[in-house]
Amino acid sequence: MADSFALEPLSRGPGLLTRGLRKLGIGKGFPWIAASVLAAVLVSALFSTWLAPHNAGGISLENSLTPPMWMEGGDSTYVLGTDNLGRDIFSRIIVGAQVSVEIAAYAIILSGAIGAMLGMTAGYFGGWVDAVISRLIDIQMAVPSIPMAMLFAAVLAPGKGMVIFIIVLTYWSWYARILRDEVLSLRERDYIALAKVAGVRTPVIFARHLFPNILNTLFVLATLQFGSVIVFEAGLSFLGLGIQPPQISWGGMLSDGRNFIEVAWWLITMPGLAIMAACLASNLLGDWLRDTFDPKLRQS
Amino acid sequence: MGRYIFNRSWQGLIAIIGALAIVFIAQRLSGDPVALLLPMDATEADFVAMRAKLGLDQPMVVQFWRFLQSAVVGDFGHSYMWNEPAMDLILDRLPATLELAFAGLVFAAALAVPLGVLSAVYQDSWIDRVAKVFAMLGQAVPNFWIGLLLILFFAVYLQWFPAFGRGTIMHLVLPAIALGWYPVAAMTRTLRSAMLEIMQSDYIRMARAVGLGQRSIIWKYALRNAAVPLVTMLGVYFAGMLGGAFVVEVVFAWPGVGRAVVEAVFARDFPVVQAGVVLSAVVFVVVNLLVDLSYGVIDPRIRHGR
Amino acid sequence: MTLLEVENLQTELHLKRGIVRAVSGVGFTIRAGEALGLIGESGSGKTMTGLSLLGLLPQPVGRIVGGSIKLDGRELVGLSQETLAREIRGKEIAMISQDPMTSLNPVFTVGSQIAAPIHKHGYDRGDESAIDLAVRELERVRVPSARLRSHDYPHQFSGGMRQRTVAAMAIGCKPKLLIADEPTSALDVTIQVQFMDLISELQADTGVGLLFITHDLGVAASLCQKIAVMYAARIVEIAPATDIYAEPLHPYTQGLLNSVPRLGSKRKHRLYSIPGTPPHALNELQGCSFHPRCERATEACRTERPPLIAREGREVACWNL
């Protein structure tokens, strides 16, 4: 890129590519597409029984391995094709959203609650309480998450509960650390000191003064986490350690589809796209939220 | 500097003990650790012996102490699937996993370094935009899915690479890409920020002011300044890839620790599971420790000061 | 013999909020071995002037949009970055800037940094290696145990030694002109004096021309033969140093000199400061830039901008002389 002193036209303002990317959520401006995708996932999760065109578990062997509708041999009733048992992929994706969202919701709420409590306690009280909790956070972060998940998968009964347990165990420390830092800075503020002097009891301080202030951080973190949790759960289900058949999960669909990879590419592509879309959308929306409401989170 | 080494090593040790504690708790969570650690066809005598070894009638602390003692010598039980000591089995498979993780790291770095540097130097140009989109996609795509797509495309359709197994370099390519995919995004971003900051610095301006050329300023000087965050990243992601390898190994039937552990979970071969998990944790901690210690070598300020 | 001739230099910064005229019609000359002090407050454009000479304006916002810079008769405006790097920077013109701590790269040894331009411009073709020559430069700037210390890193040097190192790096290739941008602002007063002595000595030894950019009138007085005062991107007065200090003509210069607290002044009056503030960088005022703050402002000052008017061997941009 040769530079010179020549006179050049000034910057032209956002070009076509930039504007397009912004709509997608890259750059400034509310990420409309990301939010819509996320909304679509949520809606699918909530209303799956009504939205799915077919019975997601309905076996129909004569329709086995139908390609997606735009391909040769495709059928317009099976928009994204069928699997080896003739089950409609599109419906299964919609129903699969339900499980993913449900697990993600529980997992995030629980890990957020536990992490927030521990983090706030550590930040507020300091001293040995902080030392112990910080140590726990360090240990949890020093241990790799997937092997740990395997460990618990080996001793606990598989299913939703186990998956939620493992996710909470992995992610609580993230909330704890960030909220601890927040509370550390909040606790120096005047209104906290005034509350203490006025004799307000600690739990009330937590509820009335601290909690509302960390709420937006919590919210941003939760959104950012959503995609990550979905991927984690999908991974466990893919390995066969998470959601067990006949319950439908995106990870499980990938695992099933793997056996037919040579003849039916859509079996692994479609569920994977769903996972990617959900994760991407939550990352973008989370980034936007963070930049708008809590820019100091950027370091993490 | 010595003090720094000591502190970090101490922290590493605590982390390993913490990991062992988690394994210990997991054993107890199942209700009956004896049943967990013995194969289906164990005899009553075996049960008695194991109970004594675990010291189940003793207080928890003593039990934990005994567990630690076994752990230190590498005794994590006997695999009933393979009929050998669990840790031996895992150690046999460790080189394969390390090879995969290393290959993944090489791939990630080979992509991230040029992308990161170029997107910083040509900030806001199309290279930068492409890199950003790439980074964004990379972080949202699960590695097992990428693995499947790679198999679909390069092994099934194009038939350029084998779809599974370990043997030649060709076998290594697809799994390495699947594994190294995720860190590329984060690495590119970190390197880009680091380079942006460095390029604005006074010392780079000084280098320009005395006539050093743009190319050597970027690749010889600025990059060297970015070495500290770069190496940190490489180390941290290498450690992270050990966990990711678990899943990628299953996708590609790669004979490493991860695959062995996953199979063991299904086969209820708990000794192998715990051996694999502990080893992963130890390697993870050690790699992170080495990364921290390497600061002293790379950044002369830390070497002399502190 | 004229070394540097700057004529009607105009530099703009294209920022998001608008175009800033950082340097507006600046002109001066420096003869070989001469020291010119460029005085002004922050934002007056003095640093940008220095950067313009080397083509080191912040990219991509800064650009020279007019005027000429001639070094030994050679026009520098319009040269590409590659040409500037290869032939001018370090070799003909060099620069020292304000903060010695940040001007040196923390991960390279002091010796290697001084050696780098020497090697780049090919001064190490003879028997001595670039490092040997670098050590010699360190010796020249009075760093004790130069050879030993050339293996040290910048953080192992004190502030004063670091600034010397920066000076050594700058003059290693024996440039004809040295631009020093507030080189003493980050130093302790005692170190400042040492550094000024070093610069004088270097000038005397090598005959290098000096453009000394500063806001500190006292420091400039001790070193420079000629002083140029800048205000709002323009030069408002140029004169030999003794003349300016004895009898400043431009109201701004007068204000500056009046603002300096003097030892031993008997009358207890408030420290004088020029009323008002400098114009906002984006606003181009009509007429003289200084008129809102000037006691002597007249109608002419408000409407028409005074050019530099020659008077008794000096130039002043004011209607009311």
Side-chain angles (χ1 to χ4, degrees), chain A residues 168-225:
Chain A
V168 171
L169 220 55
T170 310
Y171 284 98
W172 74 268
S173 56
W174 210 56
Y175 293 93
R177 176 166 283 181
I178 294 182
L179 287 169
R180 170 185 175 270
D181 291 346
E182 280 240 354
V183 169
L184 269 180
S185 68
L186 275 180
R187 113 182 138 171
E188 304 307 320
R189 301 266 174 88
D190 286 342
Y191 59 87
I192 301 286
L194 285 173
K196 277 203 242 183
V197 164
V200 180
R201 282 171 20 248
T202 311
V204 180
I205 293 188
F206 263 62
R208 266 295 183 74
H209 301 285
L210 287 178
F211 192 66
N213 284 299
I214 52 118
L215 210 51
N216 59 347
T217 307
L218 209 49
F219 195 60
V220 172
L221 286 179
T223 311
L224 281 172
Q225 283 272 267

Side-chain angles (χ1 to χ4, degrees), chain C residues 251-261 269-275 290 293-295:
Chain C
Y252 177 61
T253 323
Q254 290 169 350
L256 281 183
L257 285 167
N258 284 338
S259 321
V260 176
H269 43 224
R270 291 178 90 188
L271 194 59
Y272 178 76
S273 67
I274 309 175
F290 190 62
R293 308 169 74 181
C294 183
E295 306 169 324

Side-chain angles (χ1 to χ4, degrees), chain A residues 124-181:
Chain A
Y124 186 75
F125 291 109
W128 64 267
V129 172
D130 186 12
V132 166
I133 295 183
S134 291
R135 200 61 344 151
L136 282 177
I137 295 177
D138 288 341
I139 292 180
Q140 201 285 313
M141 292 192 143
V143 162
S145 51
I146 295 181
M148 279 301 135
M150 303 283 127
L151 182 68
F152 288 101
V155 291
L156 299 171
K160 276 193 223 169
M162 183 205 85
V163 175
I164 295 177
F165 177 72
I166 291 178
I167 297 178
V168 171
L169 220 55
T170 310
Y171 284 98
W172 74 268
S173 56
W174 210 56
Y175 293 93
R177 176 166 283 181
I178 294 182
L179 287 169
R180 170 185 175 270
D181 291 346

Side-chain angles (χ1 to χ4, degrees), chain B residues 164-235:
Chain B
F164 53 85
R166 178 191 183 203
T168 64
I169 294 271
M170 299 299 271
H171 285 97
L172 195 49
V173 172
L174 293 184
I177 295 179
L179 190 56
W181 183 259
Y182 180 84
V184 173
M187 278 192 205
T188 305
R189 254 200 238 174
T190 307
L191 194 55
R192 179 182 179 274
S193 319
M195 283 297 284
L196 276 179
E197 212 185 297
I198 291 171
M199 297 295 278
Q200 300 294 336
S201 67
D202 283 348
Y203 50 83
I204 292 296
R205 194 176 61 170
M206 183 74 195
R208 274 213 188 94
V210 292
L212 298 180
Q214 182 78 337
R215 195 157 288 155
S216 73
I217 286 184
I218 297 175
W219 299 101
K220 198 165 153 217
Y221 291 96
L223 196 55
R224 179 92 170 70
N225 286 89
V228 171
L230 188 61
V231 167
T232 312
M233 255 187 346
L234 289 177

Side-chain angles (χ1 to χ4, degrees), chain A residues 1-11 28, chain C residues 14 55 59 63-65 76 78-81 84:
Chain A
M1 268 200 170
D3 270 89
S4 72
F5 292 112
L7 287 160
E8 274 178 288
L10 294 170
S11 54
K28 295 166 274 252
Chain C
H14 292 210
Q59 293 303 320
R63 54 195 75 181
I64 298 184
V65 295
L76 298 183
L79 291 181
S80 71
Q81 292 285 309
L84 283 169

